Amino acid sequence: MTPSLVLAIDAMGGDGAPEMVLEGIRIALERSPNLRFLIYGESALLASLAAWEAVKEHCQLCHSDQVVANDDKPSTALRKARHSSMRLAVDAVRDGSAQGVVSAGNTGALMAIAKFVLKTLPGIDRPAIATFHPTMRGESLMLDLGANVDCDANNLVQFAVMGEVFARTVLGLEKPTIGLLNVGSEDVKGHEAVREAAQFLRKATLPIHFHGFIEGDDIGAGTVDVVVTDGFTGNIALKTAEGITALYGTFLKEAFASSWGGKLGYLLAKSALGRLRERIDPRKYNGAMLLGLNGIVVKSHGGTDALGFASAVDVAADLAKNGFNNNIKAEFDQLFHDHSGKKLADI
Amino acid sequence: MTPSLVLAIDAMGGDGAPEMVLEGIRIALERSPNLRFLIYGESALLASLAAWEAVKEHCQLCHSDQVVANDDKPSTALRKARHSSMRLAVDAVRDGSAQGVVSAGNTGALMAIAKFVLKTLPGIDRPAIATFHPTMRGESLMLDLGANVDCDANNLVQFAVMGEVFARTVLGLEKPTIGLLNVGSEDVKGHEAVREAAQFLRKATLPIHFHGFIEGDDIGAGTVDVVVTDGFTGNIALKTAEGITALYGTFLKEAFASSWGGKLGYLLAKSALGRLRERIDPRKYNGAMLLGLNGIVVKSHGGTDALGFASAVDVAADLAKNGFNNNIKAEFDQLFHDHSGKKLADI
């Protein structure tokens, strides 16, 4: 039997917490019975929940009576809530008692706490938020999704290197392709930061297969394995995609309901359409990774259900199993060793 | 009989030009037989096409043997091609021989030529590209879509005022709502330009119903009537939406084809599904407007077909009929009269 992996869980974050969180852990345990959990939150409340019975053998309760609120500013969360469930769960990763942490709470607060407690990896100025999304070719990774609204060329280059290492070591792609999101594919397109970043990425000294600029429609097409962009654009592009998926779903329902042929056709095609629903189910893609930190941190969507939370747990377990952080550290060490401590973008 | 409207057409721009353009005019004439066209391009070639026969009674050929190429830089197109079909068609609007111009050619070149020839309206520093998109509630207007990759707060405020006037005078909405695209709805979210622009737009002195910040998923939801953003984000958001629509369409086809039930269900629901296809048909939304110029300029997608080009012609005719430019001029005059020549953002 392989030694079990321990994950720290902030049980108090998310709209459906803490029930949704415990139920999510139950689902994750069905898939990976070897996982163990440190559960941070109001221990009396947690122990009183029906879902607790199903998971308690695999979990250890760690009491906290402070909760980071959704409208807390990151600075407030960092200063005030030193004993919050979110903070204590991140501390567990720093202390080595857990190999990763999952929270469905306030994203800004989680990023601020994780940066403060875990620090960034050597060579990384700012962590980035990354997630998978469905494409014509399967799945792609996209970063940053909102951690950094203003990015310079150096940040974008670091995101590209992190994304490449991720795609290679966690997804197992041999030569992942990296694209920089822009308003056109020609060299002259876009603002200074993307143009400069592209220049750096084209240099042969970086061990990266840089595809070049990509446009918004390349996200769905799956033109590249890793989509790199600043947090402002990435957040808006991803949420636009979510909104269009919802719109299309509504239009589809209305079309089926618009005639008897539509209604009957829907009944016949129902199970085939289940395949479509599954492929675009946002819960399947739940679990955004905070990359570039000395520790594995996964943010679940606050509005998700237990199935979505279980996906976020899967993501954290995957990252820990694949030793992503050690791999990225080694890559960056190599880069800096080769180029004697220069800034990545100056290489 | 109402006096006929004259539109100048760059017949040489777009992948399928010039046949696609003439065929598009034929379709537009079916809907609005009162339209007249000045057709700019290689006259011998145009007159030799089969499509010419169907439209020639409503058209006048204006010869040009220069064409702006798709890879011409805007500056090159402006300097070199003074007698290009695109340039002559825009000149026709300045000279008053046409009330609007439509081109499916190089967007950057069209914007540069239109700015140079027509100049911006008083009070507008930079024109913006605007288009409609489908939403849960019907349609919304979105701008800028790529004319300005870097925007300051003042530009965003001007886009908001232009969008508001458009929604009120062309779409006939009594109190259109305006939203500023951002990564969250709270005041502290986003970069400086959006935060500053929001502060200006909240001031009661502007005759605008400012909803506040919106997020990417609000685009499909139709939360506001007018979505305001910089050209970098707007271009990427719109193309992301196009890519996701294509992805969803492919997944849907694959789901129907995956089983006998799916195939049979598709046959029964086929006509009902036509309704869905129609609602999201990108050709229906073809025709991006270059707003803020002393003249009506509409850009058709370069890859569209005749049906799409006809939509772009419809858009130009609509703008001309509704006197959009006079309305926007009057609104800005009023604003500047009330505030004695201050910059809009300083009001």
Side-chain angles (χ1 to χ4, degrees), chain A residues 235-276:
Chain A
N235 180 287
I236 288 173
L238 192 82
K239 285 189 181 152
T240 298
E242 285 171 14
I244 298 302
T245 303
L247 177 71
Y248 205 109
T250 302
F251 281 3
L252 186 59
K253 263 184 223 154
E254 288 176 5
F256 279 127
S258 68
S259 73
W260 282 106
K263 283 174 193 163
L264 201 58
Y266 173 73
L267 286 177
L268 281 162
K270 201 171 173 182
S271 77
L273 290 168
R275 191 176 128 82
L276 167 72

Side-chain angles (χ1 to χ4, degrees), chain B residues 208-237:
Chain B
I208 271 189
H209 186 63
F210 180 55
H211 172 91
F213 290 137
I214 56 164
E215 299 189 57
D217 50 348
D218 289 307
I219 295 174
T223 308
V224 293
D225 299 310
V226 180
V227 176
V228 174
T229 186
D230 65 273
F232 190 81
T233 314
N235 181 288
I236 289 171

Side-chain angles (χ1 to χ4, degrees), chain A residues 73 134-136 149-150 181-183 188 190-192 194 215-217 219-221 229-233 235-237 239-252 254-256 258-259 261-262 264-266 268-269 271-273 275-276 279-280, chain B residues 73 134-136 149-150 181-183 188 190-192 194 215-217 219-221 229-233 235-237 239-252 254-256 258-259 261-262 264-266 268-269 271-273 275-276 279-280:
Chain A
K73 283 192 190 175
T135 77
M136 298 267 189
V149 289
D150 291 301
L181 198 55
N182 199 353
V183 296
V188 297
H191 49 56
E192 214 185 310
V194 285
E215 299 189 58
D217 49 347
I219 296 175
T229 186
D230 65 273
F232 189 82
T233 313
N235 180 287
I236 288 173
K239 285 189 181 152
T240 298
E242 285 171 14
I244 298 302
T245 303
L247 177 71
Y248 205 109
T250 302
F251 281 3
L252 186 59
E254 288 176 5
F256 279 127
S258 68
S259 73
L264 201 58
Y266 173 73
L268 281 162
S271 77
L273 290 168
R275 191 176 128 82
L276 167 72
R279 283 177 90 175
I280 55 160
Chain B
K73 283 192 188 173
T135 76
M136 298 266 190
V149 291
D150 291 301
L181 199 55
N182 199 354
V183 296
V188 297
H191 50 57
E192 213 185 311
V194 286
E215 299 189 57
D217 50 348
I219 295 174
T229 186
D230 65 273
F232 190 81
T233 314
N235 181 288
I236 289 171
K239 286 188 181 152
T240 298
E242 284 171 13
I244 297 303
T245 302
L247 178 71
Y248 204 111
T250 302
F251 282 3
L252 186 59
E254 289 176 7
F256 279 126
S258 68
S259 73
L264 201 60
Y266 173 73
L268 280 162
S271 77
L273 290 167
R275 191 176 128 81
L276 166 71
R279 283 177 90 173
I280 56 159

Side-chain angles (χ1 to χ4, degrees), chain B:
Chain B
M1 196 172 137
T2 48
S4 55
L5 203 68
V6 181
L7 296 177
I9 305 288
D10 167 17
M12 307 309 285
D15 301 344
E19 290 88 340
M20 170 278 283
V21 172
L22 292 184
E23 184 58 22
I25 288 174
R26 191 190 61 72
I27 298 171
L29 277 167
E30 279 177 9
R31 300 176 194 159
S32 316
N34 221 17
L35 291 177
R36 296 296 173 269
F37 298 93
L38 303 176
I39 312 283
Y40 291 84
E42 301 215 29
S43 48
L45 170 64
L46 288 162
S48 74
L49 297 172
W52 175 246
E53 287 305 310
V55 299
K56 66 179 183 187
E57 273 180 38
H58 305 263
C59 296
Q60 183 186 322
L61 278 184
C62 309
H63 181 69
S64 157
D65 49 17
Q66 283 181 25
V67 176
V68 173
N70 268 338
D71 53 358
D72 277 348
K73 283 192 188 173
S75 52
T76 316
L78 195 55
R79 215 171 38 243
K80 277 199 193 160
R82 289 193 194 168
H83 302 285
S84 65
S85 56
M86 186 187 279
R87 172 65 183 268
L88 294 178
V90 175
D91 285 350
V93 175
R94 181 201 52 201
D95 300 341
S97 35
Q99 280 87 62
V101 53
V102 183
S103 173
N106 180 327
T107 311
L110 182 63
M111 180 54 100
I113 290 173
K115 248 167 98 172
F116 178 77
V117 172
L118 300 173
K119 315 291 180 216
T120 53
L121 288 166
I124 306 284
D125 293 322
R126 302 203 218 153
I129 301 179
T131 195
F132 298 107
H133 57 88
T135 76
M136 298 266 190
R137 288 174 54 229
E139 289 181 354
S140 296
L141 184 80
M142 185 159 158
L143 74 168
D144 175 36
L145 298 173
N148 312 280
V149 291
D150 291 301
C151 286
D152 61 17
N154 200 44
N155 300 134
L156 293 171
V157 172
Q158 291 175 11
F159 298 167
V161 175
M162 285 199 283
E164 200 269 350
V165 175
F166 185 94
R168 197 153 31 80
T169 64
V170 182
L171 305 182
L173 301 175
E174 212 172 304
K175 271 198 171 183
T177 52
I178 317 293
L180 200 51
L181 199 55
N182 199 354
V183 296
S185 54
E186 304 87 352
D187 284 5
V188 297
K189 292 280 182 161
H191 50 57
E192 213 185 311
V194 286
R195 289 203 307 264
E196 260 186 60
Q199 273 185 350
F200 297 138
L201 289 169
R202 279 198 190 97
K203 290 184 191 168
T205 40
L206 283 179
I208 271 189
H209 186 63
F210 180 55
H211 172 91
F213 290 137
I214 56 164
E215 299 189 57
D217 50 348
D218 289 307
I219 295 174
T223 308
V224 293
D225 299 310
V226 180
V227 176
V228 174
T229 186
D230 65 273
F232 190 81
T233 314
N235 181 288
I236 289 171
L238 192 81
K239 286 188 181 152
T240 298
E242 284 171 13
I244 297 303
T245 302
L247 178 71
Y248 204 111
T250 302
F251 282 3
L252 186 59
K253 263 185 223 154
E254 289 176 7
F256 279 126
S258 68
S259 73
W260 282 107
K263 282 173 193 164
L264 201 60
Y266 173 73
L267 285 177
L268 280 162
K270 202 171 173 183
S271 77
L273 290 167
R275 191 176 128 81
L276 166 71
R277 245 196 312 278
E278 206 182 285
R279 283 177 90 173
I280 56 159
D281 188 345
R283 296 177 301 181
K284 198 175 136 191
Y285 294 96
N286 186 36
M289 300 155 280
L290 275 54
L291 300 185
L293 294 160
N294 272 307
I296 287 158
V297 183
V298 171
K299 166 69 174 73
S300 160
H301 200 291
T304 196
D305 62 9
L307 201 60
F309 196 85
S311 300
V313 171
D314 291 348
V315 168
D318 257 11
L319 284 172
K321 269 183 225 151
N322 287 289
F324 170 66
N325 277 12
N326 287 336
N327 285 320
I328 205 167
K329 232 184 204 149
E331 288 284 335
F332 274 79
D333 279 354
Q334 183 65 35
L335 274 171
F336 289 108
H337 183 260
D338 290 356
H339 301 281
S340 55
K342 278 188 193 168
K343 276 215 152 191
L344 202 54
D346 299 330
I347 290 171

Side-chain angles (χ1 to χ4, degrees), chain A residues 14 40 52 59 73 101 141 185 247 250 289 319 324 329 345:
Chain A
Y40 291 84
W52 175 247
C59 296
K73 283 192 190 175
V101 53
L141 183 79
S185 54
L247 177 71
T250 302
M289 301 155 281
L319 284 173
F324 170 65
K329 235 185 200 146

